[in-house]
């Protein structure tokens, strides 16, 4: 048996499980996002700002995926929202089975918004459906403007692009127009937000988009 065949089987099994999760989310009228990016783009920082804005408006829960440590879950826990840390012990992506197991610790009927923060990696999280409504890819200005061209699958499979750390634009080698153009060339349907988790720029627009997607 070739490695390619094994990988295909793994992905088929994952798709099956993700479809079950999607049903479960639908039953509970949950809006679910899967945030993907390379390490250090600011996923958790954006999430912290988002929780600050949305607290009191909607009930949400967070699943944190990391290769090691519960540092990110601890950051989220400070906001008194339900959070489950998945430690993959070297695994470079979350899969539907890991998410399913994490859901044992979350009461889905209590929440309307579930955030899954994936492991920092622009490659294989693109191929693993977690039953989410949307994949959100975060790219920071410090990563340059060529990443959509180098990691196209992630941008093809995502619905939203958040360009983070826009406050650093004067200091980094990143042309934001070029970055937008590259991303939209790969996926013309991408909706783009520009944010800074440091200054709070763009966070209001992003949170409005979330609120507009909460299921009634
Ligand atoms: Mg993080
Ligand atoms: Zn992986």
């Amino acid at each position: 048996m070739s490695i390619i065949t094994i990988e295909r089987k793994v992905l088929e099994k994952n798709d099956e499980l993700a479809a079950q999760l999607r049903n479960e989310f639908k039953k509970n009228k949950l809006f679910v996002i899967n945030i993907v990016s390379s390490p250090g783009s600011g996923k958790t920082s954006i999430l912290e700002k988002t929780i600050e804005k949305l607290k009191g408006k909607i009930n949400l829960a967070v699943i944190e995926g990391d290769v090691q440590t519960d540092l990110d879950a601890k950051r989220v826990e400070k906001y008194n929202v339900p959070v489950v840390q998945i430690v993959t012990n070297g695994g470079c992506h979350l899969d539907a089975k890991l998410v399913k197991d994490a859901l044992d610790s979350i009461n889905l009927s209590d929440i309307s918004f579930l955030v899954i923060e994936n492991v920092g990696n622009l490659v294989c999280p693109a191929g693993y459906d977690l039953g989410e409504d949307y994949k959100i890819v975060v790219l920071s200005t410090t990563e340059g403007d060529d990443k959509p061209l180098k990691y196209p699958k992630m941008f093809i499979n995502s619905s939203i692009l958040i360009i983070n750390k826009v406050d650093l634009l004067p200091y980094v080698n990143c042309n934001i127009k070029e970055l937008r153009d590259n991303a939209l060339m790969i996926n013309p349907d991408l909706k783009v937000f520009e944010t800074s988790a440091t200054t709070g720029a763009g966070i209001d627009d992003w949170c409005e988009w979330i609120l507009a997607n909460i299921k009634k």
Side-chain angles (χ1 to χ4, degrees):
M1 191 188 280
S2 71
I3 291 170
I4 291 168
T5 311
I6 292 169
E7 195 191 321
R8 186 172 301 142
K9 279 202 170 145
V10 168
L11 284 174
E12 272 171 15
K13 180 99 190 75
N14 186 76
D15 283 348
E16 250 172 58
L17 210 49
Q20 288 174 26
L21 287 179
R22 189 164 279 116
N23 262 330
E24 186 73 15
F25 295 152
K26 202 177 162 191
K27 250 195 284 169
N28 287 281
K29 293 186 175 173
L30 258 188
F31 179 48
V32 184
I33 61 171
N34 173 9
I35 309 182
V36 293
S37 81
S38 54
S41 66
K43 292 189 294 304
T44 313
S45 300
I46 291 172
L47 186 51
E48 289 181 277
K49 289 282 175 201
T50 303
I51 296 170
E52 274 175 25
K53 287 269 176 212
L54 296 182
K55 262 208 95 176
K57 291 185 179 156
I58 49 172
N59 291 329
L60 59 96
V62 177
I63 294 174
E64 283 289 343
D66 279 289
V67 170
Q68 216 46 265
T69 80
D70 59 356
L71 291 172
D72 284 358
K74 284 197 172 121
R75 284 168 66 182
V76 170
E77 214 164 38
K78 279 189 267 171
Y79 298 88
N80 279 318
V81 298
V83 53
V84 181
Q85 177 78 54
I86 300 173
V87 175
T88 62
N89 273 314
C92 48
H93 59 268
L94 294 181
D95 61 30
K97 174 74 171 73
L98 289 169
V99 171
K100 188 178 188 303
D101 291 347
L103 290 179
D104 288 344
S105 318
I106 299 173
N107 193 347
L108 295 188
S109 54
D110 283 351
I111 57 169
S112 54
F113 183 37
L114 175 66
V115 181
I116 304 167
E117 184 183 333
N118 216 313
V119 177
N121 172 0
L122 273 182
V123 187
C124 45
Y128 284 83
D129 185 3
L130 305 179
E132 73 273 4
D133 290 292
Y134 298 115
K135 268 191 188 65
I136 316 287
V137 59
V138 179
L139 196 59
S140 59
T141 57
T142 53
E143 297 167 73
D145 43 41
D146 58 356
K147 293 300 174 291
L149 305 177
K150 294 172 99 168
Y151 301 93
K153 196 174 171 196
M154 190 58 96
F155 292 82
I156 290 167
N157 289 0
S158 294
S159 307
I160 307 291
L161 164 63
I162 297 181
I163 302 174
N164 192 35
K165 306 190 189 179
V166 290
D167 54 310
L168 297 182
L169 273 170
Y171 316 107
V172 293
N173 189 13
C174 173
N175 179 331
I176 197 159
K177 185 180 178 304
E178 193 94 345
L179 171 48
R180 268 177 174 270
D181 288 351
N182 286 339
L184 291 170
M185 185 167 65
I186 298 294
N187 179 357
D189 296 327
L190 269 178
K191 182 172 171 59
V192 184
F193 292 96
E194 295 179 7
T195 64
S196 163
T198 306
T199 67
I203 298 293
D204 281 350
D205 284 353
W206 159 241
C207 287
E208 266 169 41
W209 179 83
I210 293 169
L211 288 174
N213 277 283
I214 299 297
K215 294 161 191 174
K216 305 274 182 262

